[in-house]
Amino acid sequence: MAQIQVKFFTQQKKYEVSEAPFSVLGSVSGSDLCDLINKLRLEQDDESEKKSFDFIVNGEFLRSSLLQHIEEKGLSVESVLPVEYFEAKESPELKSTLSENDWISGIQLNKQHILTGTYDCSVNIWCRNSETKLATGLAHTEPIKCIAWIPSFGGENDSNEKLASTSQDQKIVLWDFDKEKNSLRPKFSCKGHSRSVESIAVNSKHETFASGSWDCTIKLWSASYVPEKGGLEDEQISSASKKKRAKLEQTGISRVPQMTVAGHTEVVSGLVWVDNNQLCSGSWDHTLRLWDMSEGKETSQLRGTKAILSVDYSKLNQTLVTGNTDRHVRLWDPRSTGSVVKSNRTSHHGWVTCVKWCKTNSNLLVTGSLDNLVKMWDIRSTKTPLFDLTAHTDKVMCLDWHKSETIASGGADNKVFLFSAHDGSLQQTLS
Amino acid sequence: MKAKKRQFLEENTSLSLNQESLFPSKGKLDIDDEDSSDESVVESSDEEVLEKETEYFNKLQAKSAQTIEKPYSSDVDDDVSDDEDLRNTVGNIPMEWYENFPHIGYDLDGRTISKPIRNQDELDKFLDKMENKNYWRTVHDKQTGRDHVLTSEELQLIQRLKKGSFYTSGIDPHEPYVDFFTHEKMIHPVTNIPEHKRSFTPSIIEKRKVGKLVHAIKMGWLKPRKPKTDESEEPKFYDLWEETESKTPTNSELARQKMAIPAPKTQLPGHEASYNPPPEYLPSQEEIDKWKEDDEDERKLDFIPEKFDSLRQVPQYPTFIQERFSRCLDLYLCPRQRKMKVMVNPEELIPNLPKPKDLQPFPTFQALCYKGHKAMVRTISVDSTGQWLASGSDDGIIRVWEVATSRCLREITTLGDQPVKCVSWCPNKSVCLLAVALENKIVIINPSIGDKLIYSATDSLLQSFQPLADEETTNKQESEKSNAVIPPWKTVETGLPYQDGQRLVITHPKDVSKVTWHAKGDYLACVVPGNGHAQVFLHQLTKQRSQTPFTKCKGAVQSVLFHPTRPFLFVATQQYVRVYNLVKQQLTKKLMANSKWISSLAIHPGGDNLLVGSYDCRLSWFDMDLSTKPYKTMRYHKRAIRSCCYHPKYPLFASGGDDGNVVVSHGMVYSDLMQNPLIVPVKVLKGHKVERNLGVLDCCFHPHQPWIFSSAADKTIRLFT
């Protein structure tokens, strides 16, 4: 068996060992190397605890034997092989479970609250600490399809929080949540789509948001809660009678889109802002399109072979990720054009309905699928996901990853599961 | 005898001596012969001598005869002696010569023998015949002219001669033959003469002869025989095949040689045939019983292996004769002609089709399962946007599902509890309508799903309809004309059914089995199976009018289908698909499906190709430009095909059958008319369970995606992507 010279290094200072090269057998696996590192650490410091480590060779996780890995990558066996190691990420733990009355189609977290949209046409806000339902908003007449917080610049100090929900009744409703009164009131009702509204994405400046619908269009709306001066919205308030005003309280002031962009030939199922102006949309027509929303023009198109169900973009590694109907998770480079897929991740057994990047780590993402599983991936591990989060008993339909520590997922089993992702080591990596 | 002879000689000599003493006897004869005077004297003397002589000779003869025929009676001797030796000396001449003479010849003495007086008339002859007892043996002697009575010896002689035996009875032809050399071995040789001394000494004469020959050879006068050559000494064999070898064989002979088939070989005995086979070859009792029960043809062995301690204990093989006989039969019945075998590589027979991998996209795995129905789901339909899926189950419930999530959004329960036979979305995108066939009704339902504007506009459109007065009358007239019941339309305006979406109800005389929309969404055709004339109805939605296009329907109609672009209507009966031109109102084509019972029809969106599924597992692809027979018949299902469908955009088609499988095939139709459609089966989708022998009941493709929905008897609908 071939001997391979390896050199260990790490970015986690507390686990550092000497950089002298070691000669190891080619057949060693990750666990063998882990034992080696622990022994080395013991030599240096008698009090060090045993930890499990993950190893990265040539930018990829070591999952098979070292020799196999080297052969796959086409590396030289002669030279000294640099092996990076870091403390293995611990499996996310199921923290809590929330029960809804119907299928959960949208979920989003912020620091204090959990926002869910369900198929019984209601928007619900839960308190994260007490895990109680704070408020329920009923303004839609058809199932909710997607929800989103609209963060305000005042941050958490604001007494009110804003949120938006889209529904099959072709409307987007902008809600106002009063934290003190725990009351949820519809403020604006955005009408313009002619079919069910499937996706929503709020701009990073929180001024506008975009929505994608079954009518194959993307519409840009104002996210402002101040009625447009001298426009239709003002008129509605001013001209409304008492009765109508009461009705407006229930449904919200009608709002029309700022802009409509058409180009997709099928439902726009995923939307994400790449930067303040650039919007990326994924559709069932197998394409990812990038739009310049200041002008309303399509800038580039990425052509796939399977319908796209969800899109997310990571600002940390400038990569788009899509969940597809062929069970694959695909990574795309938004700067490329044509039909170039950066790479594929295959492990799910059903449609990948939702994907989400970790906002603090460039390598991590979670995906949810119709096979009842939520999977956490490290993009450096090409073959297998890091963890399978098994909690759902039916289709996973939505998930969110808030600030790298909490993963929330909702599905057709009417349950919201919150997982805590330990990321102490990851944060150190970033710092 | 010697004494008599001597006496005869003495008398002859004395005759010449005593001539004169003989004269006295001369006088006696004169009386007989008066004419001869001088001569007669001499003659008489001669005649006397002659007479004596003949008399004496006759006596001698008679004596000699007597000596031979001693046993005979003395009478004959007397007769001969009495008969005075009337010997005629004329010899053996014809006696007619003497007819004119008074005599008939001369006796020994030269005297004439006068003719005997014969004056017997017929009466005398008759009397003689009657009275004379010797008449039968009396013969007439012509030479003497007398009658001669045959003696018994003579008679016997005649009889013997007639028989062809010896003339005397004394010779026995069959007397035992005494062999000269007996077969018995004698002690003594026949001749026991010792060989002569000469035989032991070399012959001088021979020596001389040999010496002469040797000398002649030496001198070269005589050439010795050539010595025998070696060739002649070699044994000569007859070459049996000499001719055939030299002769060039004819074609028929060559063919016969070529086609000669060796006799079938007998199978060599194996270990089991041994008298002492290894124990693993010995059958157990069960196996023996089974062997005995089995049919003779089914047996693996003709005999039961048995074990014997030694070869001499093996009994006679009982089926020896049968075995030999069957072997003879084998030889006798073995084929005399060689079958022409064509060596074909089996892989070459497989058509060169592209790999399914290269024909993507097509559905490959089950993505979603739409659960909720409580009874088997007989029919499904996807709306033209591809967002909603409608399904009807056997408990009379219609459900509308969201395709992407398998969420049931609408449930229509007010139709009763009879099985929903068929649901179909209106293909017109500006209306939101669902046609449902159930019992004898077609119910037009507005499920109020999708675009609010559209479904509210649909309602208002239906409400705005106002029947014209004259139309009703024309309807009635038409119905009278065609003798068929025009189904009445009923508008549902209020109540629970209206809230549930029911808008129009068309009632037919019998149960409706199938409903299908025209591509423009105004007309819909339905099948009312039965033996009556009106099996196909056409309904027009905008005018709320119905008609029965066919006055006669041959066979039981199974399915109907509109051509997507042209005014054609496909009507499938059990074995044929008839294509009617609705504008010209005539039959344009009759397609023969080659199957017993058609179950489903589907038309390619291009309109030139038709798919026909049948209950006998066949799926036929018709290229209608090509022929009225199937371009290709596929048998991918093990059991009856219930439904088939084309994808509206992708080159795909599929069939669902009772074996619970959906078979997806690639069916590329080229715009080039010269190129035939390419058909490649790409995927068998499994997942549905077979319940009550029913599997997949309906299947349909998503209008935009390469996905297929299938509904089955296991109460589920599945989406394969």
Side-chain angles (χ1 to χ4, degrees):
Chain A
M1 182 56 77
Q3 297 273 332
I4 297 160
Q5 299 246 306
V6 292
K7 191 176 77 180
F8 296 105
F9 69 99
T10 182
Q11 288 169 341
Q12 292 167 315
K13 287 267 156 72
K14 53 178 176 177
Y15 299 130
E16 262 185 354
V17 294
S18 71
E19 287 195 7
F22 289 91
S23 186
V24 293
L25 280 173
S27 59
V28 293
S29 63
S31 58
D32 299 329
L33 289 176
C34 190
D35 289 345
L36 180 65
I37 294 287
N38 277 327
K39 272 180 191 165
L40 287 171
R41 283 176 59 228
L42 265 178
E43 278 174 16
Q44 285 176 353
D45 180 8
D46 291 342
E47 286 163 14
S48 65
E49 290 173 40
K50 269 203 167 184
K51 294 273 183 187
S52 70
F53 295 95
D54 264 335
F55 299 87
I56 289 178
V57 180
N58 197 32
E60 253 185 53
F61 270 62
L62 181 68
R63 290 286 184 233
S64 51
S65 76
L66 192 59
L67 192 68
Q68 218 172 332
H69 190 87
I70 286 167
E71 276 169 6
E72 273 173 31
K73 294 287 143 197
L75 300 175
S76 164
V77 193
E78 310 287 320
S79 57
V80 178
L81 193 70
V83 175
E84 188 185 353
Y85 66 96
F86 52 85
E87 193 188 347
K89 191 168 163 49
E90 280 176 36
S91 171
E93 276 175 25
L94 181 63
K95 223 163 60 177
S96 55
T97 309
L98 310 177
S99 273
E100 280 286 2
N101 300 324
D102 210 337
W103 293 14
I104 298 153
S105 55
I107 189 165
Q108 200 162 25
L109 308 180
N110 67 6
K111 199 139 198 184
Q112 294 164 338
H113 301 111
I114 303 163
L115 174 63
T116 59
T118 60
Y119 264 77
D120 60 358
C121 316
S122 65
V123 179
N124 303 303
I125 293 178
W126 297 70
C127 179
R128 273 182 72 175
N129 294 327
S130 61
E131 292 172 10
T132 50
K133 197 184 268 185
L134 297 176
T136 303
L138 293 164
H140 289 291
T141 54
E142 294 279 338
I144 311 286
K145 290 302 288 185
C146 195
I147 43 115
W149 292 105
I150 305 171
S152 57
F153 287 105
E156 296 136 29
N157 302 328
D158 262 1
S159 61
N160 286 0
E161 287 199 56
K162 295 182 220 167
L163 54 114
S165 65
T166 73
S167 161
Q168 282 186 351
D169 63 2
Q170 310 164 15
K171 284 188 296 189
I172 303 149
V173 173
L174 298 178
W175 304 81
D176 181 51
F177 175 58
D178 193 333
K179 282 194 222 171
E180 285 166 7
K181 287 182 191 166
N182 282 345
S183 70
L184 189 62
R185 282 187 299 120
K187 276 286 180 187
F188 292 94
S189 171
C190 305
K191 292 176 182 172
H193 281 297
S194 62
R195 304 295 293 268
S196 135
V197 187
E198 294 285 307
S199 54
I200 187 167
V202 182
N203 193 351
S204 55
K205 284 185 178 171
H206 319 313
E207 292 161 348
T208 53
F209 66 91
S211 65
S213 158
W214 257 99
D215 59 8
C216 313
T217 61
I218 298 161
K219 287 181 198 290
L220 190 70
W221 313 79
S222 163
S224 159
Y225 269 55
V226 183
E228 202 183 331
K229 290 264 165 62
L232 275 169
E233 293 167 10
D234 238 0
E235 252 175 54
Q236 280 178 40
I237 301 165
S238 55
S239 66
S241 62
K242 243 187 186 175
K243 217 177 177 183
K244 270 199 174 169
R245 202 166 280 179
K247 205 187 171 189
L248 278 180
E249 287 280 300
Q250 280 183 9
T251 58
I253 305 158
S254 295
R255 180 171 277 186
V256 289
Q258 285 181 346
M259 192 194 289
T260 301
V261 287
H264 282 294
T265 55
E266 292 270 332
V267 50
V268 180
S269 49
L271 281 175
V272 67
W273 288 92
V274 174
D275 58 35
N276 208 25
N277 266 337
Q278 210 174 15
L279 180 73
C280 177
S281 65
S283 163
W284 280 24
D285 63 2
H286 310 172
T287 59
L288 271 176
R289 291 176 204 232
L290 288 159
W291 310 85
D292 185 347
M293 290 312 278
S294 59
E295 293 175 24
K297 271 187 189 166
E298 186 184 323
T299 51
S300 66
Q301 196 179 23
L302 297 163
R303 200 178 298 278
T305 52
K306 289 281 145 51
I308 291 162
L309 293 171
S310 60
V311 190
D312 199 20
Y313 176 73
S314 169
K315 284 185 174 137
L316 296 171
N317 57 7
Q318 283 93 38
T319 309
L320 284 166
V321 64
T322 59
N324 294 67
T325 57
D326 61 345
R327 304 175 280 188
H328 298 309
V329 178
R330 288 190 170 83
L331 299 172
W332 310 75
D333 190 342
R335 292 161 295 185
S336 67
T337 50
S339 54
V340 186
V341 180
K342 225 169 133 184
S343 60
N344 256 347
R345 297 289 183 277
T346 313
S347 172
H348 280 297
H349 296 294
W351 289 6
V352 182
T353 49
C354 41
V355 290
K356 215 77 181 178
W357 283 104
C358 179
K359 292 197 177 59
T360 54
N361 190 317
S362 61
N363 294 324
L364 296 179
L365 68 122
V366 282
T367 58
S369 160
L370 292 183
D371 61 1
N372 311 351
L373 285 177
V374 177
K375 293 190 186 218
M376 184 189 273
W377 301 80
D378 191 307
I379 54 166
R380 293 168 296 184
S381 165
T382 49
K383 300 263 167 58
T384 51
L386 278 184
F387 302 110
D388 285 359
L389 311 181
T390 49
H392 283 283
T393 53
D394 207 342
K395 300 178 274 288
V396 180
M397 299 178 76
C398 54
L399 57 79
D400 191 27
W401 193 339
H402 182 250
K403 294 217 170 161
S404 83
E405 82 247 20
T406 309
I407 297 164
S409 66
D413 52 357
N414 308 352
K415 294 257 166 54
V416 174
F417 292 101
L418 293 166
F419 299 92
S420 65
H422 297 280
D423 62 337
S425 57
L426 299 170
Q427 291 225 310
Q428 278 177 14
T429 312
L430 288 165
S431 60
Chain B
M1 281 268 292
K2 279 184 179 173
K4 276 194 176 177
K5 195 87 182 179
R6 206 177 295 136
Q7 191 189 348
F8 172 69
L9 287 172
E10 282 170 1
E11 281 175 355
N12 266 348
T13 52
S14 65
L15 188 71
S16 55
L17 294 173
N18 309 327
Q19 239 179 4
E20 282 187 3
S21 60
L22 287 170
F23 277 107
S25 59
K26 201 179 168 181
K28 283 181 188 175
L29 285 171
D30 280 352
I31 306 154
D32 290 325
D33 199 354
E34 294 167 339
D35 294 333
S36 57
S37 51
D38 296 333
E39 287 173 27
S40 63
V41 175
V42 178
E43 271 178 18
S44 64
S45 62
D46 285 344
E47 270 178 10
E48 267 183 21
V49 175
L50 273 173
E51 200 177 14
K52 280 177 184 169
E53 279 282 0
T54 42
E55 195 181 355
Y56 179 70
F57 192 70
N58 276 347
K59 274 179 185 168
L60 269 180
Q61 263 194 329
K63 273 180 184 168
S64 69
Q66 269 178 2
T67 52
I68 295 165
E69 297 167 13
K70 255 183 182 161
Y72 296 104
S73 64
S74 57
D75 287 350
V76 180
D77 208 2
D78 292 342
D79 280 346
V80 172
S81 59
D82 287 342
D83 198 11
E84 280 182 45
D85 284 334
L86 265 177
R87 295 229 172 204
N88 201 345
T89 56
V90 290
N92 195 11
I93 54 154
M95 287 325 245
E96 290 92 57
W97 292 350
Y98 284 92
E99 264 179 9
N100 298 326
F101 295 101
H103 60 278
I104 53 166
Y106 308 95
D107 60 6
L108 287 174
D109 299 327
R111 288 175 299 211
T112 55
I113 302 169
S114 59
K115 280 183 188 169
I117 301 147
R118 284 199 175 252
N119 47 4
Q120 277 182 325
D121 53 3
E122 289 302 307
L123 191 63
D124 293 331
K125 276 181 191 171
F126 177 74
L127 287 173
D128 194 30
K129 196 177 177 180
M130 288 289 113
E131 287 166 4
N132 189 4
K133 46 180 182 179
N134 285 333
Y135 177 79
W136 62 276
R137 56 174 182 189
T138 308
V139 290
H140 177 71
D141 190 353
K142 276 180 180 171
Q143 278 193 325
T144 58
R146 292 182 188 180
D147 287 340
H148 175 71
V149 177
L150 294 173
T151 60
S152 58
E153 284 85 23
E154 280 168 337
L155 278 173
Q156 275 178 355
L157 181 69
I158 288 166
Q159 276 172 357
R160 251 187 259 121
L161 288 172
K162 269 185 181 173
K163 273 187 209 166
S165 57
F166 291 99
Y167 79 99
T168 54
S169 59
I171 298 166
D172 181 10
H174 301 296
E175 73 182 21
Y177 170 74
V178 181
D179 208 354
F180 185 78
F181 297 101
T182 64
H183 65 280
E184 288 161 19
K185 197 165 185 182
M186 298 293 177
I187 308 164
H188 302 290
V190 180
T191 56
N192 204 10
I193 310 162
E195 280 208 64
H196 199 273
K197 186 190 169 188
R198 227 177 9 243
S199 64
F200 298 101
T201 53
S203 165
I204 295 165
I205 301 162
E206 278 180 7
K207 191 186 168 186
R208 276 190 200 131
K209 272 187 181 171
V210 170
K212 274 183 183 172
L213 286 172
V214 169
H215 179 70
I217 289 167
K218 271 184 185 171
M219 296 305 286
W221 304 326
L222 187 74
K223 284 189 178 170
R225 260 184 230 145
K226 277 183 185 173
K228 281 184 180 174
T229 51
D230 291 342
E231 280 175 22
S232 58
E233 276 173 14
E234 272 181 6
K236 276 197 174 176
F237 298 109
Y238 166 58
D239 188 358
L240 184 65
W241 309 111
E242 193 178 24
E243 274 192 356
T244 52
E245 219 171 79
S246 59
K247 206 167 63 178
T248 52
T250 61
N251 279 345
S252 64
E253 277 172 338
L254 273 177
R256 208 184 52 182
Q257 283 169 19
K258 207 174 166 188
M259 303 305 275
I261 299 171
K265 280 178 182 164
T266 47
Q267 203 185 5
L268 293 172
H271 290 295
E272 69 280 354
S274 163
Y275 76 92
N276 187 11
E280 62 264 29
Y281 290 97
L282 290 170
S284 64
Q285 190 58 43
E286 281 175 25
E287 283 170 326
I288 293 171
D289 291 342
K290 192 175 173 293
W291 186 88
K292 280 175 184 165
E293 276 175 25
D294 272 353
D295 205 31
E296 267 186 40
D297 298 335
E298 288 173 3
R299 288 172 186 167
K300 211 178 247 180
L301 288 174
D302 296 338
F303 57 93
I304 301 171
E306 271 181 288
K307 188 183 173 79
F308 298 98
D309 290 337
S310 62
L311 192 56
R312 70 186 147 79
Q313 285 175 348
V314 177
Q316 191 196 10
Y317 185 44
T319 57
F320 176 76
I321 299 289
Q322 285 94 317
E323 206 170 69
R324 288 293 91 198
F325 179 68
S326 69
R327 171 68 183 159
C328 289
L329 278 185
D330 281 352
L331 294 173
Y332 170 62
L333 296 171
C334 83
R336 303 293 161 88
Q337 206 171 16
R338 195 181 288 274
K339 270 191 183 171
M340 292 303 285
K341 274 187 197 165
V342 186
M343 296 300 284
V344 179
N345 190 0
E347 279 171 16
E348 283 171 18
L349 293 173
I350 299 169
N352 194 12
L353 290 175
K355 281 181 185 168
K357 213 177 163 187
D358 307 331
L359 299 172
Q360 277 180 336
F362 54 81
T364 51
F365 69 98
Q366 182 191 320
L368 285 166
C369 186
Y370 302 75
K371 286 176 189 164
H373 277 296
K374 301 276 192 305
M376 67 178 188
V377 189
R378 207 182 277 259
T379 169
I380 49 173
S381 176
V382 195
D383 86 317
S384 54
T385 61
Q387 196 178 0
W388 317 115
L389 171 74
S391 64
S393 69
D394 261 13
D395 52 3
I397 293 172
I398 308 280
R399 279 166 190 263
V400 181
W401 311 79
E402 189 184 18
V403 164
T405 57
S406 75
R407 168 82 182 189
C408 178
L409 292 171
R410 298 280 183 280
E411 195 178 12
I412 297 156
T413 52
T414 52
L415 291 166
D417 55 355
Q418 290 301 306
V420 179
K421 294 279 175 59
C422 190
V423 292
S424 185
W425 282 95
C426 179
N428 190 346
K429 282 185 182 176
S430 60
V431 292
C432 174
L433 285 175
L434 191 64
V436 176
L438 163 125
E439 289 181 79
N440 60 348
K441 295 177 289 188
I442 289 180
V443 186
I444 309 289
I445 290 172
N446 181 358
S448 307
I449 204 161
D451 194 348
K452 254 183 202 165
L453 278 174
I454 288 174
Y455 65 71
S456 51
T458 308
D459 272 352
S460 56
L461 185 79
L462 289 176
Q463 278 160 10
S464 67
F465 169 74
Q466 299 227 318
L468 296 168
D470 55 330
E471 246 179 42
E472 273 187 13
T473 53
T474 52
N475 261 2
K476 271 183 191 170
Q477 282 168 5
E478 270 179 26
S479 69
E480 280 163 14
K481 234 187 260 174
S482 62
N483 280 333
V485 187
I486 294 295
W489 290 62
K490 206 183 97 194
T491 313
V492 181
E493 278 164 356
T494 49
L496 208 58
Y498 184 82
Q499 283 173 15
D500 225 2
Q502 294 187 33
R503 295 293 180 267
L504 290 167
V505 176
I506 312 164
T507 317
H508 295 80
K510 281 175 188 166
D511 281 9
V512 184
S513 70
K514 185 133 181 104
V515 62
T516 178
W517 290 86
H518 184 255
K520 283 180 181 160
D522 190 13
Y523 286 94
L524 58 138
C526 66
V527 181
V528 182
N531 292 324
H533 298 307
Q535 292 192 70
V536 179
F537 286 89
L538 289 180
H539 305 293
Q540 193 180 5
L541 197 66
T542 50
K543 291 183 180 167
Q544 301 206 353
R545 223 171 51 160
S546 303
Q547 49 183 326
T548 53
F550 307 115
T551 50
K552 261 193 240 168
C553 272
K554 285 176 189 166
V557 177
Q558 298 297 311
S559 185
V560 288
L561 196 66
F562 283 106
H563 192 280
T565 48
R566 299 170 70 188
F568 289 147
L569 182 69
F570 298 85
V571 179
T573 55
Q574 282 187 359
Q575 291 183 15
Y576 302 102
V577 180
R578 291 183 174 83
V579 188
Y580 294 96
N581 189 328
L582 292 171
V583 173
K584 290 181 186 169
Q585 300 198 338
Q586 63 185 25
L587 178 72
T588 42
K589 228 168 232 174
K590 187 177 163 190
L591 307 174
M592 276 160 281
N594 272 354
S595 53
K596 295 267 161 59
W597 198 324
I598 293 172
S599 62
S600 52
L601 275 182
I603 187 149
H604 191 266
D608 283 339
N609 295 280
L610 189 75
L611 210 56
V612 175
S614 69
Y615 289 117
D616 50 358
C617 319
R618 273 172 239 248
L619 186 68
S620 310
W621 175 296
F622 287 91
D623 191 333
M624 283 185 288
D625 294 333
L626 214 64
S627 145
T628 58
K629 295 212 172 93
Y631 160 65
K632 208 159 203 183
T633 303
M634 291 149 276
R635 291 197 60 170
Y636 300 140
H637 285 279
K638 291 204 176 68
R639 299 180 63 188
I641 291 175
R642 291 270 168 189
S643 64
C644 56
C645 55
Y646 274 106
H647 197 285
K649 286 187 178 161
Y650 289 94
L652 291 173
F653 66 91
S655 59
D658 271 350
D659 52 359
N661 294 343
V662 177
V663 178
V664 181
S665 308
H666 178 89
M668 188 68 175
V669 176
Y670 298 97
S671 53
D672 180 10
L673 287 174
M674 295 302 290
Q675 206 165 358
N676 284 329
L678 172 74
I679 296 170
V680 187
V682 288
K683 187 79 187 172
V684 178
L685 298 168
K686 291 175 183 175
H688 284 293
K689 284 175 208 126
V690 178
E691 279 185 16
R692 288 184 290 158
N693 283 332
L694 293 172
V696 175
L697 297 176
D698 198 3
C699 61
C700 65
F701 276 105
H702 191 275
H704 310 302
Q705 303 288 344
W707 302 345
I708 188 165
F709 300 93
S710 62
S711 73
D714 60 357
K715 300 166 193 168
T716 60
I717 305 157
R718 284 163 207 258
L719 167 64
F720 297 95
T721 62

